[in-house]
Amino acid sequence: EVQLVESGGGLVQAGGSLRLSCVVSGFTFDDYGVGWYRQAPGKARESVSCISRSDGKIHYADSVKGRFTTSSDAAKNTVYLQMNSLKPEDTASYYCAAASTEVAGICLPNYWGSGTQVTVSS
């Protein structure tokens, strides 16, 4: 059974940092890429980053480039999202997802985690 569990969210002041973790089970990184997504209240869910299953390249949304970094640790079955220089507009629920394919650098999810809340105060 494929499972993804996010953690690491919380409340942080603008300019601060957080590191989110996504512990996966039921698959390997050869089977699926992993994407990070976020959804702010009243807005559509958007892609933040995507680790491609096919070549391992990492793609980022323009809004987070230079501030967020995604990495993976296969030994720990964990994908991380390091978020620096956080802004109030980064406030959202953050989700990780397993994706068998991607298009234009955006992972197309097959399975979702339940999310973790990130709140950035001004």
Side-chain angles (χ1 to χ4, degrees), residues 26-95:
F27 68 95
T28 70
F29 297 142
D30 289 333
D31 300 321
Y32 291 97
V34 176
W36 283 99
Y37 299 77
R38 66 185 181 186
Q39 186 167 20
K43 294 189 176 181
R45 191 169 296 188
E46 63 175 354
S47 174
V48 174
S49 70
C50 170
I51 302 177
S52 168
R53 182 195 65 83
S54 59
D55 58 13
K57 290 184 178 179
I58 304 175
H59 306 270
Y60 295 95
D62 288 343
S63 58
V64 306
K65 277 182 183 176
R67 300 189 299 123
F68 290 12
T69 303
T70 290
S71 61
S72 63
D73 185 335
K76 295 183 178 180
N77 294 322
T78 302
V79 177
Y80 302 99
L81 182 67
Q82 177 67 45
M83 305 185 294
N84 299 328
S85 303
L86 282 161
K87 305 175 182 179
E89 51 264 42
D90 294 318
T91 295
S93 293
Y94 283 72
Y95 303 84

